[in-house]
Amino acid sequence: MTSSSWRIGVTRLDDKQLLPFPTLIPAEGKPLAMAVGALKPGAKPVLAVILDQDGKRVLLTRTAAGTNKVQKLSDNFKSNPVALAIHDVNQDGLADLVVLIPYEKIKVLLQVPGKDFEETDVAPPGGTMEQPWLASADVDGDGKPELLLPQKNFLRAVVLKPEAAPMNSTNKPGWVFQVKDQINGAGSNSRLIGAAAVPNGTNATASLFLLDGERKALTLAERDAAGAWQVVRNLQLPLYADFSGITLRPLALGGTNLNAVALQGQNAIAWQSLRGEAWEFADLDGYETPIKDGYLNDVVTGDLDSDGRKDLVFMETAKNYLDLVVFDAHRKLVPANRWQVFEERTFRNRRSDLPEPREAAVADVTGDKKNDLIIIVHDRILVYPQE
């Protein structure tokens, strides 16, 4: 497809729930980026498009009624944007347009009632980026979403504010991003490549899901009672997932309220539902052997004290011990007993490269209806009856 053949079209589900071929929207120039959304509260959505007209950039806005308006942009705007978003950057109640361009400042088209958009270039607080992206969320619960800008392992929530004018200056003040909050990823090595805000019950502040491209995880961050953002959970994503060019978006799955997050990549899509029951593994307790320089090589389970709960039998192969641990009623691992099965000099002529003791089982081999412990050491089978 040649560059001159790029077009914008719209299609709708028909009576058979099929998508017919799109109806083309007339536009002079090559579309570079577009966004759809309301420019005023309660208004119908508007289509906004950045067009390339013979090397010059123009803004096309098209209303739901089919009325087009074209605004010429700065002659210095020659780069190709990677994203266009509709967001009230200065929180004045009127939606603005945010243009992202690799290695350049963020271009903001501020909505001015009854006039053209005011075009301004604003440096992001963390510096320009090779692959810029943005998101929005109400991070302080005041009902006004902030713009979220990434900086490697954290996000900055920013609002556009007028720059303080120098004293006795007659020049019109510019604009700067004021940082209102910061949301950190799971670790210093995180690389955040996406974010999505999802309502959290009746809380005024939504939860934030952060897509971590370095850790290949979905991180859930929430604001605590003190007002600080904390990581509360990490969900590992499949290692085979393609994390190049992936996006993260909130999703209303089977309803009208946001209740899921969706991931869209170059070759696949996925989603994570945030409602209903789900199974997961959770750590109950841990155990470290008191045997000095010990090495726990394997473990078997079985009820060795007839209390109705399975115990753990660790095979320690550095000093050749059996290490018994009880799983008590409080779901804790409690050290019970341990003994050395043999001393090295006893089997010095039968030494092998296999770890010893190398196998164990729990079963009733004495016929008294009590489980016994059976192990294999070298060329012998040892039985420890339960008493």
Side-chain angles (χ1 to χ4, degrees):
M1 180 179 292
T2 62
S3 60
S4 60
S5 63
W6 288 101
R7 293 292 185 266
I8 300 173
V10 59
T11 184
R12 299 176 178 85
L13 287 172
D14 59 18
D15 296 338
K16 298 180 180 179
Q17 298 300 299
L18 299 176
L19 285 174
F21 191 81
T23 301
L24 297 181
I25 295 176
E28 294 184 9
K30 174 185 174 182
L32 300 177
M34 71 175 185
V36 177
L39 294 180
K40 297 179 182 179
K44 293 183 178 180
V46 170
L47 170 67
V49 186
I50 302 292
L51 295 169
D52 177 357
Q53 292 184 348
D54 297 326
K56 296 184 181 297
R57 305 292 182 257
V58 299
L59 169 67
L60 167 69
T61 53
R62 181 181 177 88
T63 66
T67 303
N68 288 352
K69 182 180 179 180
V70 176
Q71 174 183 336
K72 293 183 179 180
L73 300 177
S74 171
D75 291 337
N76 296 325
F77 183 12
K78 298 182 181 299
S79 304
N80 292 336
V82 295
L84 174 65
I86 297 177
H87 177 81
D88 185 4
V89 190
N90 55 357
Q91 297 186 340
D92 63 350
L94 299 174
D96 312 299
L97 301 178
V98 184
V99 186
L100 297 184
I101 307 168
Y103 299 112
E104 293 188 16
K105 295 180 179 180
I106 296 177
K107 183 175 291 292
V108 180
L109 302 176
L110 289 169
Q111 185 178 171
V112 181
K115 298 182 180 180
D116 286 343
F117 286 88
E118 178 186 334
E119 183 179 357
T120 183
D121 296 328
V122 187
T128 60
M129 296 182 62
E130 176 185 1
Q131 297 176 326
W133 62 270
L134 57 79
S136 64
D138 181 7
V139 298
D140 52 9
D142 64 353
K144 298 178 181 180
E146 283 76 34
L147 192 66
L148 302 182
L149 300 177
Q151 184 63 34
K152 192 180 177 182
N153 64 329
F154 61 87
L155 302 179
R156 290 187 176 97
V158 302
V159 176
L160 195 66
K161 296 289 185 181
E163 191 175 22
M167 187 176 297
N168 300 325
S169 174
T170 59
N171 295 332
K172 183 180 179 180
W175 296 88
V176 294
F177 284 123
Q178 181 187 74
V179 179
K180 294 190 66 176
D181 212 336
Q182 179 172 307
I183 301 96
N184 295 324
S188 59
N189 65 333
S190 294
R191 180 172 57 88
L192 302 183
I193 58 176
V198 178
N200 183 1
T202 59
N203 293 350
T205 305
S207 299
L208 275 178
F209 286 88
L210 312 176
L211 182 58
D212 193 330
E214 183 66 27
R215 291 169 169 257
K216 291 182 169 51
L218 196 60
T219 298
L220 172 60
E222 294 180 348
R223 200 177 188 201
D224 61 18
W229 285 89
Q230 303 289 343
V231 171
V232 298
R233 187 176 177 183
N234 283 292
L235 176 65
Q236 289 299 129
L237 299 176
L239 295 178
Y240 57 81
D242 183 7
F243 281 80
S244 59
I246 196 169
T247 58
L248 177 67
R249 301 181 187 280
L251 182 69
L253 195 62
T256 56
N257 298 324
L258 298 175
N259 55 24
V261 288
L263 293 89
Q264 177 184 355
Q266 294 180 348
N267 302 311
I269 60 172
W271 64 88
Q272 173 68 45
S273 178
L274 305 176
R275 65 179 182 179
E277 295 183 352
W279 290 91
E280 67 174 351
F281 287 105
D283 292 336
L284 295 178
D285 200 9
Y287 176 73
E288 182 178 354
T289 181
I291 301 172
K292 185 177 180 180
D293 299 326
Y295 181 81
L296 302 182
N297 186 64
D298 203 355
V299 61
V300 297
T301 62
D303 185 2
L304 290 172
D305 53 7
S306 301
D307 64 352
R309 293 187 301 273
K310 289 187 177 181
D311 309 302
L312 305 180
V313 181
F314 290 99
M315 282 165 279
E316 189 283 315
T317 56
K319 302 295 181 64
N320 314 116
Y321 272 76
L322 288 176
D323 193 355
L324 273 61
V325 179
V326 173
F327 187 64
D328 67 11
H330 302 290
R331 298 187 174 186
K332 297 296 181 182
L333 297 176
V334 180
N337 195 6
R338 73 197 59 84
W339 64 90
Q340 193 173 29
V341 179
F342 65 91
E343 293 183 3
E344 184 67 32
R345 63 176 179 273
T346 305
F347 289 90
R348 61 180 177 271
N349 295 327
R350 303 179 184 179
R351 185 182 180 94
S352 70
D353 294 331
L354 296 175
E356 301 287 355
R358 65 178 182 271
E359 291 187 50
V362 176
D364 178 15
V365 295
T366 59
D368 60 356
K369 298 183 179 180
K370 295 181 180 180
N371 286 331
D372 309 307
L373 177 61
I374 309 100
I375 66 170
I376 296 179
V377 178
H378 299 291
D379 57 353
R380 300 183 184 183
I381 299 177
L382 304 181
V383 178
Y384 295 92
Q386 183 180 163
E387 298 179 355

